[in-house]
Every structure is written in structure tokens, then in C-alpha cells.
Amino acid sequence: MGKLIYGFNVSVDGYIADARGDIDWSEPSEELHQYWNDFERETALSFYGRRLYELMSAYWPTADDAVDAPRLIVDFAHIWRNMPKVVFSHTLESVDWNSRLERGDPVEVVTKLKAETDGTLEVAGATLAAPIVAAGLVDEYRIVVAPVVVGGGTPFFPALPSWMSLRLLENRTFPGGTVLLRYAAKHD
């Protein structure tokens, strides 16, 4: 059985994107970029919603084409293209780069694939993560808090019917004041 992780860069006030959908404020340091590269390298399967998949697929498939592309960008481009991905969408006709298209219920599909997949699984994107978080399927949260307040936008956590207990696994500070908080979900 796989371990499902939901992680993202967030503002101090808990948003993954501001009210305009921008994430430019979360520009990672080299050390943080390396952290995410290493995490993705070890990911057995990643779940994407349509919007985040389209954002990622617009950049990463060719990000390493530039002669002067930084080493971290080249590395992540290779990781992203090769990483197995399940993309949830009712509107996309096809997906590429080691991805498969899924039109089923995310909670049902993630439950099934989590039981069938060894290693680390990742849910990428707050909209897709919302029902998965609410269903209690996430085993670990990786919240990377950027030192900025955006005042509104897309929240990391969805509205929940009751509070959720977490256990701190790790905290780590990166250059520029960004802080990683890793929490295990306490499943009853």
C-alpha cells in the first residue's frame, strides 16, 4: 500500500495561489527547489487536476531545452516528464509525458491506486486534493510556508466538517525564510 502525500508552497495565510491565480510569490530558493526535485524523484505516482497539469505541461516538457537552463530546472524537467501521472479531467481529450487520463471519481480512483501502488504517491493541486483530504486519504502533509501574505485565493486546505489532528514529523527552514512543515495525519 502506498503512502499519499499532499504538499505545496503556501503563503503564511494558507493559500497556494493568490486571488488572480498567481504563484510567482512562491519562487523557491535553490535549496528548496532541490528538496522538491528529490521528493518528486522518489514519487511512484502523482495525481494531477486539469488546471495544474496544463500549467505544468506548458513549461516542463521543454524547460531543459535552453542551453543556459539551470541544473535544477533541467533535473526537474527530466523528473516531471518521466514520473507516472494520473490526470483527472472531464474536458481534456488526451495527456502526454507518462500520464494517463482519468474521468472517474477522484476519491474512488485514489483509494484503489493507493492500495495497489507501493511507495510514495502525491496529490498535486488544491482543487483535486479537496475531496481526497476530506475523505481522509492523505497520510502526510508537506506545507512549505513562504514569507508572504497574499490576502486570498486558493486555500491549501478545503473546508472540512470537523478539525483534523496532525503530528509534526519535521520542520526545516530554507533560505529566504521559507519553512517546511511536515505533518502525519492521525488516522483513527
Side-chain angles (χ1 to χ4, degrees):
M1 176 176 238
K3 176 181 176 181
L4 183 61
I5 297 175
Y6 173 40
F8 227 94
N9 296 344
V10 302
S11 62
V12 169
D13 50 346
Y15 297 97
I16 64 152
D18 67 21
R20 293 183 315 269
D22 291 335
I23 59 170
D24 295 343
W25 49 266
S26 67
E27 184 69 30
S29 65
E30 284 190 16
E31 186 179 331
L32 179 57
H33 205 304
Q34 185 65 58
Y35 171 83
W36 283 124
N37 284 17
D38 294 341
F39 169 72
E40 296 293 354
R41 190 181 337 277
E42 300 302 318
T43 301
L45 182 61
S46 198
F47 300 107
Y48 276 83
R50 178 195 51 82
R51 282 184 295 215
L52 185 56
Y53 175 78
E54 287 180 327
L55 178 70
M56 299 293 277
S57 66
Y59 179 73
W60 290 109
T62 59
D64 56 342
D65 285 351
V67 177
D68 60 345
R71 176 191 59 79
L72 289 167
I73 298 295
V74 170
D75 185 36
F76 191 81
H78 290 231
I79 294 165
W80 190 85
R81 284 193 305 257
N82 295 324
M83 180 177 46
K85 295 173 278 300
V86 175
V87 180
F88 290 86
S89 175
H90 293 288
T91 58
L92 290 175
E93 295 297 322
S94 65
V95 291
D96 293 309
W97 307 289
N98 205 20
S99 304
R100 86 170 208 228
L101 189 57
E102 180 60 59
R103 300 192 191 286
D105 175 60
V107 171
E108 291 175 14
V109 172
V110 170
T111 299
K112 179 179 182 293
L113 291 174
K114 184 178 174 185
E116 295 174 355
T117 307
D118 290 327
T120 300
L121 296 91
E122 167 196 34
V123 59
T127 302
L128 176 62
I132 295 165
V133 168
L137 294 175
V138 175
D139 299 299
E140 183 180 316
Y141 296 90
R142 294 189 183 195
I143 305 165
V144 178
V145 182
V148 63
V149 175
V150 299
T154 305
F156 177 80
F157 282 106
L160 297 170
S162 64
W163 49 272
M164 177 190 325
S165 292
L166 305 173
R167 181 175 48 87
L168 183 65
L169 299 173
E170 177 187 9
N171 63 5
R172 178 175 167 188
T173 303
F174 290 91
T178 301
V179 178
L180 165 70
L181 299 170
R182 283 184 52 222
Y183 289 102
K186 291 184 179 179
H187 299 296
D188 295 332

